[in-house]
Amino acid sequence: MTAFDTLLWILAVVLVVAGVVSLVRRQILWGIVLIVVGLLVGPGGVSLFT
């Protein structure tokens, strides 16, 4: 695992957590967008950078 992969994981986790927090605050659209972007960025999902 490279440093770039680690950075992508951290970014993905932050985005997904921010999305969940937005959902809890009833900002449904923004929460869904953050979660989807987090899943796209993460190296485990469909990464935008590879």
Side-chain angles (χ1 to χ4, degrees), residues 5-17:
D5 288 341
T6 304
L7 181 65
L8 285 178
W9 271 110
I10 293 170
L11 181 62
V13 168
V14 168
L15 286 170
V16 170
V17 169

Side-chain angles (χ1 to χ4, degrees), residues 9-29:
W9 271 110
I10 293 170
L11 181 62
V13 168
V14 168
L15 286 170
V16 170
V17 169
V20 171
V21 169
S22 293
L23 289 176
V24 169
R25 292 182 172 184
R26 301 193 187 272
Q27 298 173 346
I28 304 299
L29 184 61

